[in-house]
mmCIF file of all heavy atoms in Angstrom:
data_model
loop_
_atom_site.group_PDB
_atom_site.id
_atom_site.type_symbol
_atom_site.label_atom_id
_atom_site.label_comp_id
_atom_site.label_asym_id
_atom_site.label_seq_id
_atom_site.Cartn_x
_atom_site.Cartn_y
_atom_site.Cartn_z
ATOM 1 N N PHE A 74 10.976 136.796 199.098
ATOM 2 C CA PHE A 74 12.322 137.192 199.503
ATOM 3 C C PHE A 74 12.920 138.235 198.567
ATOM 4 O O PHE A 74 13.669 139.111 198.996
ATOM 5 C CB PHE A 74 13.256 135.990 199.629
ATOM 6 C CG PHE A 74 14.562 136.343 200.282
ATOM 7 C CD1 PHE A 74 14.598 136.677 201.627
ATOM 8 C CD2 PHE A 74 15.736 136.372 199.562
ATOM 9 C CE1 PHE A 74 15.796 137.052 202.246
ATOM 10 C CE2 PHE A 74 16.940 136.733 200.168
ATOM 11 C CZ PHE A 74 16.969 137.072 201.514
ATOM 12 N N GLY A 75 12.569 138.185 197.303
ATOM 13 C CA GLY A 75 13.068 139.163 196.333
ATOM 14 C C GLY A 75 12.666 140.593 196.657
ATOM 15 O O GLY A 75 13.245 141.550 196.137
ATOM 16 N N LEU A 76 11.689 140.767 197.532
ATOM 17 C CA LEU A 76 11.225 142.106 197.901
ATOM 18 C C LEU A 76 12.240 142.899 198.721
ATOM 19 O O LEU A 76 12.062 144.103 198.910
ATOM 20 C CB LEU A 76 9.894 142.018 198.664
ATOM 21 C CG LEU A 76 8.692 141.568 197.843
ATOM 22 C CD1 LEU A 76 7.467 141.414 198.742
ATOM 23 C CD2 LEU A 76 8.404 142.536 196.703
ATOM 24 N N ILE A 77 13.303 142.237 199.200
ATOM 25 C CA ILE A 77 14.321 143.011 199.935
ATOM 26 C C ILE A 77 14.954 144.059 199.016
ATOM 27 O O ILE A 77 15.395 145.103 199.477
ATOM 28 C CB ILE A 77 15.402 142.130 200.611
ATOM 29 C CG1 ILE A 77 16.266 141.385 199.589
ATOM 30 C CG2 ILE A 77 14.795 141.202 201.645
ATOM 31 C CD1 ILE A 77 17.508 140.700 200.179
ATOM 32 N N ILE A 78 14.954 143.778 197.740
ATOM 33 C CA ILE A 78 15.503 144.735 196.768
ATOM 34 C C ILE A 78 14.630 145.989 196.695
ATOM 35 O O ILE A 78 15.108 147.081 196.452
ATOM 36 C CB ILE A 78 15.621 144.086 195.369
ATOM 37 C CG1 ILE A 78 16.614 142.929 195.412
ATOM 38 C CG2 ILE A 78 16.040 145.112 194.316
ATOM 39 C CD1 ILE A 78 16.583 142.053 194.178
ATOM 40 N N GLU A 79 13.322 145.806 196.945
ATOM 41 C CA GLU A 79 12.368 146.906 196.844
ATOM 42 C C GLU A 79 12.159 147.623 198.174
ATOM 43 O O GLU A 79 11.306 148.507 198.266
ATOM 44 C CB GLU A 79 11.019 146.384 196.333
ATOM 45 C CG GLU A 79 11.092 145.594 195.047
ATOM 46 C CD GLU A 79 11.698 146.372 193.891
ATOM 47 O OE1 GLU A 79 11.439 147.593 193.785
ATOM 48 O OE2 GLU A 79 12.452 145.765 193.106
ATOM 49 N N GLY A 80 12.865 147.217 199.221
ATOM 50 C CA GLY A 80 12.760 147.913 200.495
ATOM 51 C C GLY A 80 12.100 147.147 201.624
ATOM 52 O O GLY A 80 12.028 147.645 202.748
ATOM 53 N N ALA A 81 11.593 145.952 201.359
ATOM 54 C CA ALA A 81 11.030 145.139 202.451
ATOM 55 C C ALA A 81 12.158 144.743 203.390
ATOM 56 O O ALA A 81 13.306 144.595 202.971
ATOM 57 C CB ALA A 81 10.349 143.897 201.890
ATOM 58 N N THR A 82 11.833 144.557 204.650
ATOM 59 C CA THR A 82 12.872 144.108 205.568
ATOM 60 C C THR A 82 13.216 142.660 205.244
ATOM 61 O O THR A 82 12.383 141.914 204.723
ATOM 62 C CB THR A 82 12.448 144.209 207.051
ATOM 63 O OG1 THR A 82 11.437 143.232 207.316
ATOM 64 C CG2 THR A 82 11.973 145.606 207.407
ATOM 65 N N TRP A 83 14.417 142.283 205.601
ATOM 66 C CA TRP A 83 14.905 140.924 205.364
ATOM 67 C C TRP A 83 13.973 139.929 206.050
ATOM 68 O O TRP A 83 13.597 138.921 205.468
ATOM 69 C CB TRP A 83 16.341 140.843 205.882
ATOM 70 C CG TRP A 83 17.057 139.576 205.590
ATOM 71 C CD1 TRP A 83 17.803 139.302 204.474
ATOM 72 C CD2 TRP A 83 17.117 138.406 206.406
ATOM 73 N NE1 TRP A 83 18.315 138.025 204.557
ATOM 74 C CE2 TRP A 83 17.914 137.459 205.732
ATOM 75 C CE3 TRP A 83 16.579 138.064 207.635
ATOM 76 C CZ2 TRP A 83 18.194 136.201 206.256
ATOM 77 C CZ3 TRP A 83 16.849 136.812 208.156
ATOM 78 C CH2 TRP A 83 17.641 135.894 207.464
ATOM 79 N N GLU A 84 13.603 140.224 207.287
ATOM 80 C CA GLU A 84 12.739 139.323 208.059
ATOM 81 C C GLU A 84 11.355 139.183 207.434
ATOM 82 O O GLU A 84 10.843 138.066 207.304
ATOM 83 C CB GLU A 84 12.592 139.802 209.509
ATOM 84 C CG GLU A 84 13.870 139.715 210.307
ATOM 85 C CD GLU A 84 14.703 140.996 210.253
ATOM 86 O OE1 GLU A 84 14.554 141.798 209.297
ATOM 87 O OE2 GLU A 84 15.521 141.194 211.159
ATOM 88 N N GLU A 85 10.733 140.307 207.083
ATOM 89 C CA GLU A 85 9.397 140.266 206.454
ATOM 90 C C GLU A 85 9.423 139.456 205.164
ATOM 91 O O GLU A 85 8.542 138.633 204.926
ATOM 92 C CB GLU A 85 8.904 141.684 206.110
ATOM 93 C CG GLU A 85 8.567 142.558 207.271
ATOM 94 C CD GLU A 85 8.350 144.011 206.843
ATOM 95 O OE1 GLU A 85 8.853 144.433 205.774
ATOM 96 O OE2 GLU A 85 7.677 144.714 207.596
ATOM 97 N N ALA A 86 10.425 139.709 204.355
ATOM 98 C CA ALA A 86 10.530 139.019 203.068
ATOM 99 C C ALA A 86 10.732 137.517 203.265
ATOM 100 O O ALA A 86 10.109 136.702 202.579
ATOM 101 C CB ALA A 86 11.670 139.620 202.248
ATOM 102 N N LEU A 87 11.572 137.150 204.218
ATOM 103 C CA LEU A 87 11.840 135.735 204.452
ATOM 104 C C LEU A 87 10.621 135.026 205.054
ATOM 105 O O LEU A 87 10.330 133.888 204.696
ATOM 106 C CB LEU A 87 13.077 135.552 205.335
ATOM 107 C CG LEU A 87 13.636 134.130 205.415
ATOM 108 C CD1 LEU A 87 13.891 133.531 204.037
ATOM 109 C CD2 LEU A 87 14.910 134.106 206.253
ATOM 110 N N ILE A 88 9.884 135.704 205.912
ATOM 111 C CA ILE A 88 8.648 135.116 206.462
ATOM 112 C C ILE A 88 7.657 134.845 205.329
ATOM 113 O O ILE A 88 7.042 133.772 205.274
ATOM 114 C CB ILE A 88 8.017 136.024 207.545
ATOM 115 C CG1 ILE A 88 8.845 136.000 208.823
ATOM 116 C CG2 ILE A 88 6.562 135.646 207.816
ATOM 117 C CD1 ILE A 88 8.764 134.717 209.634
ATOM 118 N N LYS A 89 7.498 135.787 204.413
ATOM 119 C CA LYS A 89 6.601 135.575 203.261
ATOM 120 C C LYS A 89 7.056 134.373 202.433
ATOM 121 O O LYS A 89 6.249 133.575 201.981
ATOM 122 C CB LYS A 89 6.559 136.825 202.367
ATOM 123 C CG LYS A 89 5.745 137.945 202.915
ATOM 124 C CD LYS A 89 5.713 139.101 201.928
ATOM 125 C CE LYS A 89 4.873 140.237 202.466
ATOM 126 N NZ LYS A 89 4.711 141.307 201.497
ATOM 127 N N TYR A 90 8.350 134.285 202.239
ATOM 128 C CA TYR A 90 8.944 133.189 201.479
ATOM 129 C C TYR A 90 8.649 131.849 202.146
ATOM 130 O O TYR A 90 8.198 130.899 201.505
ATOM 131 C CB TYR A 90 10.450 133.463 201.399
ATOM 132 C CG TYR A 90 11.296 132.489 200.636
ATOM 133 C CD1 TYR A 90 11.216 132.389 199.253
ATOM 134 C CD2 TYR A 90 12.247 131.713 201.298
ATOM 135 C CE1 TYR A 90 12.039 131.523 198.550
ATOM 136 C CE2 TYR A 90 13.072 130.854 200.600
ATOM 137 C CZ TYR A 90 12.969 130.760 199.232
ATOM 138 O OH TYR A 90 13.783 129.910 198.543
ATOM 139 N N LEU A 91 8.852 131.768 203.445
ATOM 140 C CA LEU A 91 8.623 130.524 204.178
ATOM 141 C C LEU A 91 7.138 130.168 204.254
ATOM 142 O O LEU A 91 6.783 128.988 204.316
ATOM 143 C CB LEU A 91 9.231 130.614 205.580
ATOM 144 C CG LEU A 91 10.753 130.753 205.631
ATOM 145 C CD1 LEU A 91 11.232 130.933 207.065
ATOM 146 C CD2 LEU A 91 11.462 129.600 204.948
ATOM 147 N N THR A 92 6.292 131.167 204.206
ATOM 148 C CA THR A 92 4.844 130.917 204.180
ATOM 149 C C THR A 92 4.463 130.184 202.898
ATOM 150 O O THR A 92 3.647 129.259 202.922
ATOM 151 C CB THR A 92 4.068 132.242 204.325
ATOM 152 O OG1 THR A 92 4.412 132.831 205.584
ATOM 153 C CG2 THR A 92 2.566 132.026 204.253
ATOM 154 N N ILE A 93 5.077 130.558 201.789
ATOM 155 C CA ILE A 93 4.842 129.848 200.522
ATOM 156 C C ILE A 93 5.318 128.400 200.659
ATOM 157 O O ILE A 93 4.677 127.485 200.160
ATOM 158 C CB ILE A 93 5.564 130.542 199.345
ATOM 159 C CG1 ILE A 93 5.026 131.949 199.133
ATOM 160 C CG2 ILE A 93 5.473 129.711 198.067
ATOM 161 C CD1 ILE A 93 3.641 132.042 198.548
ATOM 162 N N TYR A 94 6.432 128.199 201.332
ATOM 163 C CA TYR A 94 6.938 126.836 201.541
ATOM 164 C C TYR A 94 5.911 125.998 202.295
ATOM 165 O O TYR A 94 5.714 124.829 201.982
ATOM 166 C CB TYR A 94 8.272 126.860 202.299
ATOM 167 C CG TYR A 94 9.454 126.995 201.386
ATOM 168 C CD1 TYR A 94 9.651 128.147 200.634
ATOM 169 C CD2 TYR A 94 10.366 125.969 201.243
ATOM 170 C CE1 TYR A 94 10.726 128.264 199.783
ATOM 171 C CE2 TYR A 94 11.447 126.076 200.394
ATOM 172 C CZ TYR A 94 11.619 127.227 199.664
ATOM 173 O OH TYR A 94 12.678 127.343 198.801
#
Side-chain angles (χ1 to χ4, degrees):
F74 190 69
L76 291 175
I77 66 169
I78 296 168
E79 307 302 323
T82 70
W83 187 89
E84 293 91 337
E85 291 169 337
L87 192 53
I88 288 288
K89 284 183 179 186
Y90 181 70
L91 296 176
T92 299
I93 297 288
Y94 272 65

